[in-house]
């Protein structure tokens, strides 16, 4: 079983930083490449760019919680939840309030 994890392509767990604008402020997020890939997939499902999705998620979590202590961790958990729910839900449902909601 460990081979599944140990033999993962090192590129997947290399970190990459991206700059984007959230609420009018340019910020930099650093995530592992695999999480960027999952965020891109989620964005495509909802007809958005990755940056649009991230800004939307930030807005929604701020509206709901009022603060985000560690936004990068929030994004990682969101990716994990997406992958878990993808197995359980039919294709075509929106994950954020958007065109399919």
């Amino acid at each position: 079983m460990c081979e599944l994890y140990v033999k993962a392509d090192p590129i997947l767990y290399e970190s990459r930083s991206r700059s984007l604008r959230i609420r009018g402020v340019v910020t930099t997020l650093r995530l592992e490449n695999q999480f960027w890939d999952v965020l891109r997939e989620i964005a495509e499902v909802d007809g958005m760019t990755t940056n649009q999705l991230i800004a939307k998620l930030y807005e929604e979590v701020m509206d709901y919680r009022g603060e985000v202590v560690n936004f990068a961790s929030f994004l990682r958990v969101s990716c994990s939840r997406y992958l878990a729910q993808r197995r359980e839900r039919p294709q075509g449902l929106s994950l954020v309030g958007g065109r399919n909601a």
Side-chain angles (χ1 to χ4, degrees), residues 24-88:
V25 177
V26 175
T27 188
T28 301
L29 286 171
R30 185 170 184 83
L31 296 170
E32 294 75 18
N33 286 321
Q34 183 150 11
F35 289 112
W36 287 117
D37 292 344
V38 174
L39 288 169
R40 180 180 36 79
E41 180 180 328
I42 297 169
E44 287 175 1
V45 167
D46 282 335
M48 299 181 196
T49 66
T50 304
N51 287 5
Q52 288 171 328
L53 172 73
I54 291 168
K56 178 110 175 124
L57 288 171
Y58 184 84
E59 290 290 330
E60 289 185 4
V61 76
M62 287 298 291
D63 289 346
Y64 186 72
R65 298 260 179 229
E67 69 175 338
V68 184
V69 176
N70 186 335
F71 189 58
S73 290
F74 167 81
L75 291 174
R76 287 184 190 94
V77 169
S78 296
C79 289
S80 297
R81 291 174 56 96
Y82 166 77
L83 293 172
Q85 290 179 0
R86 186 174 69 175
R87 294 184 304 246
E88 300 168 5

Side-chain angles (χ1 to χ4, degrees), residues 10 12 14 18-19 23 30 34 43 49 77 84 89 95-96:
L12 295 174
E14 258 184 34
R18 287 180 67 167
S19 293
R23 290 191 168 178
R30 185 170 184 83
Q34 183 150 11
T49 66
V77 169
R89 68 180 174 84
L95 296 176
V96 296

